[in-house]
Each structure stands twice: as C-alpha cells, then as structure tokens.
C-alpha cells in the first residue's frame, strides 16, 4: 500500500514508480482481468457476446469510444464501470488543478512547483473513483464550461496581465486530466463545441481566448449517443466522428430471461414493504414481454426505442399495487394477481413515444393494448394456439371453459377483493384446473390462481370471452351471452 506512506516526489522516485497513460493503465488492468477470467463489467447482462467483447477490444487498442444506441441500453453504466479498470490510486502534485503527474507535469503550476521544490515537492494520491468525469451535452454547454476561459477575478487578485496564461480558468476537460471523461448525448452538443474537441482528441492541444496552451492532456474519452436518425436535435460532426477510434452499437435484451435479470437487479424491491408478496414467474415474464411488444408496436415510435427502465418501473408499480391491496385489506401476505397489471399503466405511458396513430388512440389505450399483446404472446408459449377456424372434428381444449361461462350469468373479479374472495371466485371455474394440469403440470400451487386469471384475460384477447370494466373490478362473460345482453 505504497500510497499510504509516500508524500514527496523524492520518495516516489525511490519506490521506482513508473508513469503510464490512462489508456495504458486501462489496457494493462484489462489484460490482467482477462488472464484471470475476471468479469470487468459486472452487472451488465445480455452483452457477453456482443457489446462487451467489442468494448474490450477498443480498450486494448487504446481508442476513444462512442457507445451508440437507443435510450435505456446501459451506455452510461458501461462507461462508469470502466473506472474499475483504473489503478486504485495514482500520485499527483499536491494543489495542481489538472492532476499533474509528478514525474511528467504538463501545467505551468506543476513545472514551477518541481523547479522550486525538487524532490521535496509534495504529492497526493487520487482514488480511481475521483477520476471519472461526466457531462450531459445540452445546447447551452459552452466552450468555457468544457475547456476554459480567462478569469478576470484571478487576474485582479494576482495582479496579472490578461497576457499571462496564469489568468486562465480551466474547464472540465483539462481538470479531468488522467481521468475518464464521458460526454452523454454527444449529438446534442453544438457543432462549434464539437469542433473544439478535434485537437484535444488528436493532439492534446487546447486554445483559450487566443492562448495557445500546449497541454498534452491524458484522457480516456467515452461518448454516448442515440442513432442520428432518431436524434433530430443534432448529429455528430463527421471530422469528430473520424477521430473516435471505436464506435460500438448497443442493443436491448434479446430474451425475456436476460430482461428479467436486468429488472430484478435494478428494481427497488423495498425490504420494508408492509406485507409479503409472492410473485409468480409468469407475472415476471409478462412484465418483460410488454417491453418486447412495445418495441414492435404500430403505435410506438421504434426510432425512439423503449427503455429498459419501463420494465423496471412497471415491476415496481406491480408490487406496489399488490401492497396497496394488502394494506387496505389488513392482510400480511398476498400474491400478484393479473388485475394488478393494470397498476403498471402509469409506468408504461410515461416511457413510450407514440406515433400519430398512437396519439389519436390515447396513451392509456396503447398501454392496455401492449398488456393484451404480451398476454397473448406468453399464452401461446404454454397453451394450444387458438385458431380462428378449425375442423368440425377438432377438439377445442377451451370448450369446457367457454361452456362454463355460457351457463353463468356473469363472473367478476374485484380490484381489492380479499384473498378468500379471489380464491373462491377463480376456483369456481373448475375447467381451468384441468387446463393447467394438462399444459402446465409443473406449476407450483402458489402460482395457480394467477395462471387461472391469466387464461381468462388471454381468452378475452382472442375474443373467446368478453371483459368490461365495472366499479372496482372487471366482469367476464362469454361472447355469445354478452352479445345477447346488448340486444
């Protein structure tokens, strides 16, 4: 633990410390992780065969990187995890604004301090967590913010002429020397600001108000951006794009299993919930399937994308809906019901960008359509496909259920019904039990009530049953009976 004892430049030299650029540092530590089989990007799911190998190759090539993808694809998370590839501590000249390397200072302050104090120059140790800088690109970002400007107050206090480079106030980029610097949503940065980055990426030069300050900054740039055909606010200027070594395309989860891992990891499950909530696997799958349906929906703007945050917040709302019912009924435990899925609608409508047709129908309508489409997709993976037309001699596995509804005047499920009322209502539909035993024989008993209700909602989507909203609940009827009642 060398950094605990070394306090001066002379002591640092005796320890044999060698200077490395940040790109060399990242490369060396990544190589060590690869040799040891250690995961350098823990907590990132679904990128093992796509994004992460490309990112690792970019680091090995010592490239500046652009992560290009739609919103909610862990671009910023990937950039932040690169911090773990830095050395735990590095030395810097104490008091330097730009983290001057004691063995290779680049600022006037650093050079003068070493010239004045020699081996007695005091040093400090900077932890890797302090070596990450992040800036969200917005139209109001200025060159002064990023690179720097003349500071008239400093000039007055030090009684310096504006011709003296010591009057310069450094911006975020010089202050991030020897660090990872992330610019999020790069296309939103004004073109003239992007042009100012050219020499920094290529030569390390910065120019402030006419000062040609030769500062070979040591930086690892990571940019994030949405595809240019989506970002109407601007684009990455071609010469800047040419100076970025690697552009890596990110993507959404390719399977429900991966999506579930992400949601489980990111969702705030709150250990202090007022009751114990059982979550059927089918309910978890449904939450993720809604995202998949949204990304291919005719009502949703596919160029905008559907963030993974939609599934995360929807899952949180699903649990809170069940908790709300539990609190209201005074129960200490409950299980997710399909009717609870309606509680996810506020999370869905806030996370999708609608096309014209979707706006005409309304956000709530689109959200319900997405839930219905998700139910149909999952239903088809477990149960026989419901065909519009079938042969006369073909047996209908759903006939007994439909006959049960034909013989009943109505069937209701209430939003805040007690556990006993909910269980009694669904168990009364005896053909549901047989259907589950035939096609989902391995279902655990705690999941069966959810599956029964799920089957009813899926049959509604296939127009085998009718459903309508009643006060504090839903009513289900067979299609023929519902037609007669409307005559």
């Amino acid at each position: 633990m060398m950094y605990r004892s070394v306090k001066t430049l002379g002591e640092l030299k005796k320890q044999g410390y060698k200077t490395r650029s940040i790109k060399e540092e990242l490369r060396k530590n990544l190589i060590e992780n690869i040799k040891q089989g250690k995961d350098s990007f823990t907590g990132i799911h679904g990128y093992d065969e796509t994004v992460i190998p490309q990112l690792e190759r970019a680091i090995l090539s010592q490239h500046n990187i652009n992560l290009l993808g739609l919103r909610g694809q862990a671009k910023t998370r990937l950039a932040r995890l690169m911090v773990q590839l830095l050395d735990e501590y590095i030395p810097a000249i104490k008091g330097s604004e730009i983290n001057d390397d004691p063995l290779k200072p680049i600022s006037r302050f650093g050079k003068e301090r070493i010239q004045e104090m020699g081996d007695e120059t005091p040093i400090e140790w900077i932890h890797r967590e302090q070596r990450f800088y992040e800036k969200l690109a917005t139209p109001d970002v200025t060159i002064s913010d990023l690179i720097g400007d003349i500071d008239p107050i400093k000039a007055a206090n030090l009684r310096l002429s504006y011709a003296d480079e010591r009057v310069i106030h450094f911006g975020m980029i010089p202050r991030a020397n020897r660090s990872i610097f992330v610019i999020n949503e790069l296309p939103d940065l004004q073109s003239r600001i992007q042009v100012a980055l050219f020499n920094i990426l290529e030569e390390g030069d910065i120019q402030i108000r006419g000062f040609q300050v030769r500062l070979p900054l040591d930086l690892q740039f990571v940019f994030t951006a949405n595809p240019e055909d989506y970002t109407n606010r601007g684009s990455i200027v071609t010469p800047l794009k040419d100076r970025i070594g690697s552009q890596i395309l990110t993507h959404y989860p390719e399977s429900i299993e991966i999506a579930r891992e992400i949601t489980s990891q990111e969702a705030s499950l709150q250990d202090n919930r007022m009751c114990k909530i059982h979550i059927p696997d089918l309910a978890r799958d449904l939450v993720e399937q809604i995202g998949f349906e949204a990304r291919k929906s005719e009502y949703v703007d596919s160029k905008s994308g559907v963030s993974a945050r939609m599934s995360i917040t929807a899952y949180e709302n699903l649990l809170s809906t069940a908790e709300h019912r539990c609190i209201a009924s005074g129960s200490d435990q409950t299980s997710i019901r399909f009717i609870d899925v309606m509680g996810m609608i506020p999370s869905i409508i806030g996370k999708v960008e609608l096309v014209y047709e979707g706006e005409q129908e309304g956000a709530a309508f689109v959200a319900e359509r997405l839930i219905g489409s998700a139910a149909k997709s999952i239903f088809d993976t477990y149960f026989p496909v419901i065909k519009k037309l079938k042969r006369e001699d073909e047996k209908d596995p759903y006939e007994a259920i439909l006959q049960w509804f034909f013989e009943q005047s109505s069937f209701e499920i209430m939003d805040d019904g007690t556990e006993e009322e909910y269980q009694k209502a669904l168990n009364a539909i005896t053909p549901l039990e047989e259907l589950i035993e035939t096609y989902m024989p391995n279902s655990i008993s705690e999941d069966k009530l959810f599956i029964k209700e799920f089957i009813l909602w899926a049959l509604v989507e296939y127009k085998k049953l009718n459903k309508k909203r009643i006060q504090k609940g839903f009513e289900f009827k067979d299609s023929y009976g519902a037609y007669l009642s409307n005559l």
Side-chain angles (χ1 to χ4, degrees), residues 9 11 68 153 164 177 185 189 248 266 278 291 375 468 473:
L9 175 59
E11 294 174 12
L68 184 68
I153 296 176
D164 192 317
N177 183 41
E185 308 300 341
L189 208 60
I248 298 169
E266 300 299 322
H278 173 70
K468 75 172 183 178

Side-chain angles (χ1 to χ4, degrees), residues 185-203:
E185 308 300 341
L186 180 61
D188 287 354
L189 208 60
Q190 294 181 50
S191 296
R192 64 186 182 85
I193 312 294
Q194 293 186 39
V195 169
L197 298 175
F198 288 179
N199 269 18
I200 298 176
L201 265 68
E202 196 72 28
E203 307 292 342

Side-chain angles (χ1 to χ4, degrees), residues 43 58 68 156 206 239-240 257 260 268 291 345 350 358 373 381 384 423 429-430 451 468 472 477:
L68 184 68
I206 61 171
L240 178 60
E257 290 73 24
R260 275 181 55 170
S268 174
I345 289 178
S373 298
T381 64
Q423 182 175 349
I429 312 174
T430 51
I451 297 171
K468 75 172 183 178
K472 296 186 178 180
K477 287 186 176 182

Side-chain angles (χ1 to χ4, degrees), residues 176-385:
N177 183 41
R178 304 172 73 198
S179 302
I180 296 171
F181 193 89
V182 178
I183 298 181
N184 284 313
E185 308 300 341
L186 180 61
D188 287 354
L189 208 60
Q190 294 181 50
S191 296
R192 64 186 182 85
I193 312 294
Q194 293 186 39
V195 169
L197 298 175
F198 288 179
N199 269 18
I200 298 176
L201 265 68
E202 196 72 28
E203 307 292 342
D205 291 348
I206 61 171
Q207 184 167 332
I208 301 172
R209 296 286 184 182
F211 285 102
Q212 184 67 36
V213 184
R214 184 72 177 176
L215 285 180
L217 297 171
D218 182 21
L219 289 160
Q220 171 66 59
F221 276 103
V222 180
F223 304 102
T224 74
N226 283 316
E228 292 180 64
D229 58 352
Y230 159 57
T231 306
N232 299 318
R233 300 179 297 269
S235 61
I236 305 173
V237 297
T238 303
L240 178 60
K241 190 185 293 185
D242 183 57
R243 287 167 167 80
I244 300 172
S246 291
Q247 179 166 280
I248 298 169
L249 302 179
T250 58
H251 56 82
Y252 287 119
E254 295 174 345
S255 70
I256 284 183
E257 290 73 24
I258 292 171
R260 275 181 55 170
E261 280 190 78
I262 295 170
T263 299
S264 297
Q265 174 181 285
E266 300 299 322
S268 174
L269 302 181
Q270 298 180 9
D271 295 332
N272 61 342
R273 289 199 182 272
M274 298 302 294
C275 61
K276 183 180 179 181
I277 303 173
H278 173 70
I279 311 160
D281 283 343
L282 207 60
R284 297 177 191 268
D285 289 347
L286 183 71
V287 171
E288 306 305 336
Q289 188 64 39
I290 292 170
F292 284 86
E293 297 296 328
R295 290 174 194 129
K296 62 184 182 182
S297 171
E298 61 183 338
Y299 296 115
V300 177
D301 185 357
S302 60
K303 293 179 180 179
S304 169
V306 179
S307 170
R309 298 182 192 96
M310 187 187 79
S311 297
I312 295 165
T313 54
Y315 186 60
E316 292 168 345
N317 259 353
L318 179 66
L319 295 181
S320 295
T321 304
E323 182 184 28
H324 184 278
R325 182 183 63 252
C326 212
I327 295 169
S329 65
S331 177
D332 60 354
Q333 62 180 9
T334 190
S335 180
I336 295 293
R337 304 174 185 177
F338 196 97
I339 203 170
D340 296 335
V341 172
M342 296 297 108
M344 301 193 304
I345 289 178
S347 296
I348 298 171
I349 62 178
K351 294 289 192 296
V352 294
E353 296 289 334
L354 303 180
V355 296
Y356 176 77
E357 291 81 359
E359 291 174 349
Q360 291 296 104
E361 295 289 355
F365 170 84
V366 172
E368 290 188 27
R369 282 290 298 270
L370 294 177
I371 292 169
S373 298
K376 286 177 68 174
S377 297
I378 294 177
F379 182 82
D380 289 344
T381 64
Y382 291 99
F383 298 98
V385 175

